[in-house]
Amino acid sequence: MKIGLLALSGIRAHDPELLKLGLTLPGFVDRSRTIASLPSLGLLYLAACTPRGHAVEYFEAESDGSEPAEVYRCDLVAISTFSAQIFEAYAIADRLREAGVLVAMGGLHVTVLPEEAARHADYVVTGEGDRVWPHVVAAAERHEPPRTFRASDYAPVDTADLPVPRYDLLGSRPYNRFTVQTSRGCPWRCDFCASNVMLGQRYRKRPVADIIRDIRAIQAVREHPFIEFADDNTFVDKHWGKELCRALAPLHLHWFTETDISVADDPELLDLMRVAGCRQVLIGLESPTASALGGIEMRADFKARTFGRHADAIRRIQSHGITVNGCFILGLDGHTPAVFEQVLAFGRMVPLYDVQITVLTAFPGTPLHERLSREGRIIDKDRWDLCTLFDVNYEPRGMSAPELKAGIYWLTERLYSDECTAFRRNGFFKMRREHRSVAALG
Ligand code: B12
């Protein structure tokens, strides 16, 4: 068979006011451009798990949501789904099926809503696709009738036995970053987190040698790749994290990852990360006030417990030459309209190199979605396309939805202003210089 893998990448946001502001604010737009073009690692894994004897090709949907003409030459097309692009994905799937092409859908969104997806796809897959995919391919070969495959019905995925994602299929597409997974899952259970729906399983690290093997496969197709670790929380295990950094150092890479604030507690790890090429860590600070954090992380109240250490932890990480992208969620139940001033004050006091503000978003399958639905606080039910992290689609508790939107516009203009950005960037360079002088004296 000829199998097509179809990714729908890019960034999504609908609020016209925010888009207008975004277009005029350099800091904001630069970041969007940087992250918008990443290949779909999930599909590259599927390619690697495809049984021999089939031709596999990777495609990206066009920026207007249409599919490239070549996918119609495939016998089977695999589509990977996120909520924000799900209606575009369903429309493409409908067109393909009408033209006689078999369609398989998997990924985060359809894992939560397989019945919805089954109206648009021949084969729907819930959970991690690695083990299930060969069975889907076999079903398509035999033209079996539509059905849903659940990863939980197959042997669990062993992260110590993952193949090399088929980076070679990306050809010369202009990706500015390549994704690699070092681990799957996160020990924390934040009520808003959309990744957890996939990862009902425990936090699983990969063997360091496999990670290096995968990076070498990227280097074989791109000379100086910037690596983005597509993890939920990379440095949970500090001992393993150090081993990983020691192995990365000789590769002379630059990389980015998402992790939690506890990396700041281990200066040796921070040193090793810098030497290994870590350029930025993205950390969910979530709120500039402690009161709004209570209960958000449902296992051990991690976010509330670590709140008091944020400013100091950011200083420690950045003084090691690693920039921090601190993320705030606006509209948590504990937030009042004062939160916008409070985030700005934090941004003017603690020089985060990058700062990200997003709207509280009820992704399907999350405890947050369940709670807001129960409380009748979702504004447009089933508008998954609004799950962008930038569009307001719920009634906040401590303010009205229009107040939340207005506050975000107000904060966006100020937080990403030239003046505020310069303060944050200069602050980072100053911290790094001071740390170097102290280290030199020591
Ligand atoms: C890299 C990344 C991106 C890249 C994606 C590149 C791409 N083409 O895929 C970019 C930067 C483009 C991106 C954009 C966005 N992202 Co993003 N992103 C991630 C991130 C950090 C890693 C994803 C990843 O690579 N995972 C590793 C792979 C191996 O896992 P996977 O994709 O789940 O694939 C496995 C299974 O799902 C399954 N599978 C997947 N697809 C298929 C298909 C078939 C047929 C089968 C059988 C199986 C299968 O098998 C795979 C292997 O086990 C996640 C966080 C996370 N940890 O997941 C957020 C995340 C996916 N993003 C998120 C969001 C909100 C967005 C944006 C809406 C942001 C915005 N405003 O624009 C956009 C949406 C883009 C879009 N077009 O819809 C949310 C999505 C939640 C949801 N329910 O949709 C996440 C979970 C972050 C979060 N916690 O909130 N993102």
Side-chain angles (χ1 to χ4, degrees):
M1 283 195 304
K2 186 167 159 54
I3 301 175
L5 307 168
L6 182 62
L8 282 79
S9 300
I11 293 297
R12 303 287 191 279
H14 299 276
D15 185 331
E17 198 59 37
L18 201 60
L19 286 174
K20 208 166 78 196
L21 276 175
L23 289 176
T24 57
L25 295 168
F28 199 67
V29 174
D30 286 352
R31 263 203 56 67
S32 310
R33 279 210 194 101
T34 312
I35 61 165
S37 109
L38 281 173
S40 167
L41 186 57
L43 290 177
L44 299 180
Y45 267 117
L46 290 194
C49 298
T50 304
R52 281 172 191 276
H54 301 285
V56 183
E57 206 172 330
Y58 180 95
F59 301 98
E60 285 276 358
E62 310 294 344
S63 51
D64 64 0
S66 65
E67 62 284 15
E70 299 95 295
V71 283
Y72 285 92
R73 287 191 222 122
C74 297
D75 303 295
L76 169 68
V77 171
I79 303 181
S80 186
T81 62
F82 295 148
S83 302
Q85 40 88 316
I86 195 65
F87 298 133
E88 297 163 51
Y90 289 157
I92 293 177
D94 292 347
R95 287 193 290 271
L96 283 168
R97 292 180 80 196
E98 225 172 279
V101 179
L102 289 169
V103 173
M105 291 184 120
L108 283 178
H109 185 86
V110 310
T111 288
V112 180
L113 295 162
E115 290 85 11
E116 177 190 281
R119 296 200 288 271
H120 305 275
D122 297 282
Y123 308 116
V124 178
V125 177
T126 67
E128 292 174 296
D130 319 64
R131 294 263 191 187
V132 191
W133 181 239
H135 300 278
V136 179
V137 173
E141 246 185 323
R142 294 191 293 262
H143 276 266
E144 282 180 16
R147 60 177 273 211
T148 295
F149 295 75
R150 294 177 195 278
S152 51
D153 292 340
Y154 298 81
V157 172
D158 179 358
T159 49
D161 188 27
L162 285 172
V164 181
R166 291 283 310 275
Y167 298 108
D168 57 292
L169 293 179
L170 298 175
S172 55
R173 286 166 201 277
Y175 295 113
N176 48 23
R177 292 184 177 202
F178 287 79
T179 39
V180 174
Q181 269 190 324
T182 74
S183 57
R184 289 190 178 178
C186 175
W188 309 120
R189 286 287 174 268
C190 296
D191 68 349
F192 55 79
C193 179
S195 303
N196 278 341
V197 303
M198 180 71 68
L199 318 156
Q201 321 190 37
R202 62 198 168 82
Y203 170 71
R204 293 160 296 159
K205 294 164 295 204
R206 299 185 58 212
V208 167
D210 286 8
I211 300 165
I212 301 300
R213 176 201 69 186
D214 292 0
I215 294 174
R216 289 206 188 280
I218 295 175
Q219 287 175 321
V221 294
R222 197 62 45 95
E223 210 177 341
H224 297 293
F226 190 103
I227 303 292
E228 175 147 344
F229 291 133
D231 301 338
D232 298 291
N233 190 350
T234 304
F235 292 104
V236 172
D237 178 338
K238 308 289 181 286
H239 179 76
W240 169 89
K242 288 175 194 174
E243 193 195 328
L244 173 65
C245 289
R246 286 190 189 101
L248 287 171
L251 301 185
H252 303 293
L253 294 167
H254 288 163
W255 50 274
F256 160 100
T257 199
E258 304 189 13
T259 193
D260 70 47
I261 197 90
S262 66
V263 277
D265 299 338
D266 193 328
E268 187 194 2
L269 175 61
L270 291 173
D271 276 334
L272 288 168
M273 285 165 67
R274 189 199 54 243
V275 172
C278 181
R279 283 291 171 271
Q280 184 163 85
V281 287
L282 182 141
I283 298 181
L285 306 172
E286 325 305 9
S287 175
T289 54
S291 54
L293 289 173
I296 277 189
E297 194 286 296
M298 300 178 300
R299 188 162 282 172
D301 220 7
F302 176 77
K303 297 276 169 166
R305 279 193 297 113
T306 48
F307 171 80
R309 291 157 43 195
H310 284 174
D312 186 43
I314 292 162
R315 284 202 181 89
R316 263 183 285 152
I317 299 168
Q318 296 206 141
S319 66
H320 280 78
I322 298 166
T323 64
V324 176
N325 185 344
C327 303
F328 292 99
I329 298 175
L330 300 167
L332 294 171
D333 276 359
H335 285 165
T336 67
V339 71
F340 308 110
E341 287 271 10
Q342 288 159 343
V343 171
L344 187 61
F346 189 96
R348 286 183 167 150
M349 184 183 68
V350 184
L352 281 165
Y353 187 87
D354 273 315
V355 61
Q356 186 173 298
I357 48 170
T358 55
V359 173
L360 182 67
T361 301
F363 288 106
T366 57
L368 176 73
H369 185 268
E370 210 253 312
R371 183 164 62 79
L372 294 186
S373 300
R374 206 176 48 235
E375 293 171 0
R377 290 168 61 192
I378 305 279
I379 297 174
D380 271 328
K381 204 172 145 292
D382 300 344
R383 279 290 306 274
W384 309 126
D385 55 322
L386 295 178
C387 287
T388 61
L389 301 169
F390 296 113
D391 293 284
V392 177
N393 190 27
Y394 76 108
E395 297 293 351
R397 180 165 282 163
M399 62 187 112
S400 66
E403 271 177 314
L404 176 55
K405 281 190 194 178
I408 289 165
Y409 306 150
W410 181 89
L411 181 58
T412 300
E413 274 185 276
R414 284 158 187 78
L415 204 56
Y416 299 108
S417 67
D418 289 346
E419 174 230 333
C420 207
T421 305
F423 164 75
R424 290 186 284 104
R425 301 276 158 99
N426 294 338
F428 162 74
F429 291 116
K430 190 161 166 263
M431 281 175 188
R432 199 177 58 170
R433 263 195 319 272
E434 283 168 4
H435 180 77
R436 278 183 181 160
S437 328
V438 173
L441 284 174

